[in-house]
Amino acid sequence: HGHKIEVGTLDSGILTVDGQEVIAGFPGSYSGAGFSVTYDGNGEVPDVVPEGNEKRVVHMDLPLGVKVTVFQWSNYMDVQIEMAKQPGQDGVCGNFNGNQGDDTTQSIMARVGARVRVNECLLSGHALIEWTPQMNQMMQVECSATTRAAGQAKCTQYLGAAGNAVNSCTFD
């Protein structure tokens, strides 16, 4: 436990463990205390191989039986996570209590919020948060002033931020 494995797009060239490049070429592998990382072209692609890309796959076997597979493409990634239910687990995929009724987007957001708090984020980069005139217009048309105000208040409280971060959160 306590290691940081970072995988980026092919264009970024990022594949590190604890900030160090540990796999010199393709294919390759690395083993650490309680985990392993394999870099190859094996694995069933979740959608399609983008034109002009060759399949590059990072397989991570982590503690507690967690398996993470990252399909690297030039400017994005597909990620698959396989794991057994963990105590207190909740998030975008639900809470694994067997009740699909409480796994709606609205129910999940009520439990865990609309955004990952900055101090809980496992990603090293910063997301580009856009707020376009089109998004603003759509929200004005489709959401009542009361709903917008409630969303903005909740997002401001949750994020501890202002500006486009709150606008984007409210839009979601």
Side-chain angles (χ1 to χ4, degrees), residues 1 3 9 36 39 51 60 63 76 91 93 95 97 105-106 114-115 118 124 134 138-139 141 145 155-156 163 168-169:
H1 297 358
H3 294 282
T9 63
S36 66
Y39 191 38
E51 188 175 323
M60 293 173 260
Y76 74 98
C93 295
N95 56 17
N97 66 357
T105 300
Q106 187 173 5
R115 295 272 194 257
V118 173
S124 63
Q134 294 83 1
M138 181 185 288
M139 195 160 69
V141 170
C155 288
T156 299
S168 180
C169 172

Side-chain angles (χ1 to χ4, degrees), residues 4-8 14-19 60 123-125:
K4 178 181 177 181
I5 302 170
E6 190 168 7
V7 180
I14 296 172
L15 177 50
T16 63
V17 174
D18 298 328
M60 293 173 260
L123 305 175
S124 63

Side-chain angles (χ1 to χ4, degrees), residues 71-130:
F71 295 86
Q72 291 182 303
W73 309 116
S74 59
N75 64 347
Y76 74 98
M77 300 175 300
D78 288 313
V79 179
Q80 294 176 332
I81 302 171
E82 297 176 41
M83 61 188 286
K85 180 180 174 182
Q86 304 293 316
Q89 183 173 342
D90 202 349
V92 172
C93 295
N95 56 17
F96 298 93
N97 66 357
N99 177 5
Q100 292 181 351
D102 69 0
D103 290 340
T104 64
T105 300
Q106 187 173 5
S107 296
I108 293 167
M109 286 176 58
R111 288 192 306 270
V112 299
R115 295 272 194 257
V116 175
R117 290 181 177 94
V118 173
N119 64 339
E120 295 176 351
C121 185
L122 299 177
L123 305 175
S124 63
H126 298 284
L128 172 63
I129 298 175
E130 291 186 312

Side-chain angles (χ1 to χ4, degrees), residues 9-25:
T9 63
L10 282 175
D11 288 352
S12 77
I14 296 172
L15 177 50
T16 63
V17 174
D18 298 328
Q20 303 297 311
E21 290 186 25
V22 294
I23 299 176

